[in-house]
């Protein structure tokens, strides 16, 4: 990657960080391009050089964030496979990776959850697409577990994957907002027990 491309990526990252913080504080409609530029420490024209509009910036911000989360989930699954762990272990590693990601990017996660249920946004189709990419990583692990007879073939894979994804999001936001004194290890342990009981507990008896 050349120096100009590296600089552009750094600038876009600054704009993402400024936008996510401002929009989390005051909402999308109330946040202006001028404020985003000021918070990022760049000229207003720099925003429009990198993004056609505030809407495009926000759409790419959401896409960027969920792609980072997806990469974290996939990395957790891959590292577990290298260790020779079970498919339940892989799901548990993904839960931990998801919690870690959300603890590092709480404002981004709050925005994502808030926007997920709105149907009148220009970026709704993009949001659904990137959400499915993240869930597909979980679905792949569930399918592999069924193929290995580690999970019951009766598991509804799409619904279970969505439920696990949602469990991590909601539990992490509740932790961040209402129980911040709890450690990541504590929250992970609680979700791990739930996972072991609900998914791990469906192991085929032969």
């Amino acid at each position: 990657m050349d120096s100009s491309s590296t600089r552009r990526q750094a600038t876009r990252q600054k704009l993402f960080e400024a936008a996510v913080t401002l929009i989390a504080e005051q909402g999308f409609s109330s946040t202006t391009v001028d404020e985003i530029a000021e918070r990022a420490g760049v000229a207003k024209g720099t925003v429009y050089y990198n993004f056609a509009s505030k809407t495009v910036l926000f759409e790419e911000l959401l896409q960027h964030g969920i792609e980072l989360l997806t990469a974290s989930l996939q990395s957790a699954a891959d590292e577990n496979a290298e260790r020779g762990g079970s498919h339940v272990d892989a799901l548990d590693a993904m839960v931990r990776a998801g919690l870690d990601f959300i603890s590092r990017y709480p404002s981004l996660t709050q925005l994502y959850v808030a926007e997920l249920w709105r149907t009148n946004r220009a970026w709704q189709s993009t949001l659904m697409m990137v959400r499915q990419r993240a869930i597909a990583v979980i679905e792949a692990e569930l399918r592999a577990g069924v193929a290995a007879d580690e999970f019951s073939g009766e598991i509804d894979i799409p619904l279970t994957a969505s439920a696990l994804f949602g469990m991590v999001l909601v539990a992490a936001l509740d932790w961040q907002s209402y129980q911040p004194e709890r450690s990541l290890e504590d929250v992970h342990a609680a979700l791990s027990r739930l996972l072991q009981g609900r998914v791990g507990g469906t192991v085929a008896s032969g």
Side-chain angles (χ1 to χ4, degrees), residues 6 25 37 39 45 64 78 113 118 146 168 185 191:
T6 300
E25 290 173 356
R39 181 69 65 94
H64 173 70
D78 292 344
V113 172
R118 300 189 185 192
V146 170
V168 173
E185 288 71 23
L191 295 189

Side-chain angles (χ1 to χ4, degrees), residues 17-28 31 58 61 106-111:
E17 291 170 0
V20 73
T21 303
L22 284 166
I23 294 169
E25 290 173 356
Q26 57 195 34
F28 176 78
T31 299
F58 191 53
L61 165 64
S107 295
L108 178 62
T109 308
Q110 289 166 8
L111 282 181

Side-chain angles (χ1 to χ4, degrees), residues 55-175:
T55 296
V56 170
L57 189 163
F58 191 53
E59 181 174 2
E60 290 195 30
L61 165 64
L62 290 171
Q63 183 170 346
H64 173 70
I66 302 308
E67 285 175 349
L68 285 177
L69 173 58
T70 301
S72 295
L73 298 178
Q74 187 63 64
S75 178
D78 292 344
E79 288 173 9
N80 177 76
E82 290 174 5
R83 293 192 300 267
S86 68
H87 295 292
V88 170
D89 290 336
L91 293 174
D92 188 56
M94 282 192 246
V95 168
R96 171 63 189 241
L99 290 172
D100 182 63
F101 179 89
I102 293 166
S103 71
R104 286 186 286 126
Y105 304 103
S107 295
L108 178 62
T109 308
Q110 289 166 8
L111 282 181
Y112 170 73
V113 172
E115 293 299 323
L116 193 59
W117 310 115
R118 300 189 185 192
T119 58
N120 61 341
R121 300 295 207 188
W123 48 78
Q124 189 67 22
S125 61
T126 297
L127 197 56
M128 292 299 98
M129 180 180 68
V130 294
R131 169 190 173 275
Q132 188 52 45
R133 286 180 196 160
I135 290 177
V137 176
I138 305 172
E139 288 182 351
E141 202 60 48
L142 288 168
R143 287 195 182 91
V146 170
D149 290 330
E150 191 175 326
F151 306 146
S152 167
E154 296 179 359
I155 285 180
D156 185 322
I157 289 175
L159 188 58
T160 301
S162 295
L164 289 172
F165 185 71
M167 175 185 75
V168 173
L169 283 178
V170 173
L173 288 178
D174 184 87
W175 162 42

Side-chain angles (χ1 to χ4, degrees), residues 13 32 54 109 125 134 144 178 192:
Q13 185 62 38
T32 66
K54 184 178 72 169
T109 308
S125 61
Y178 303 112
S192 182

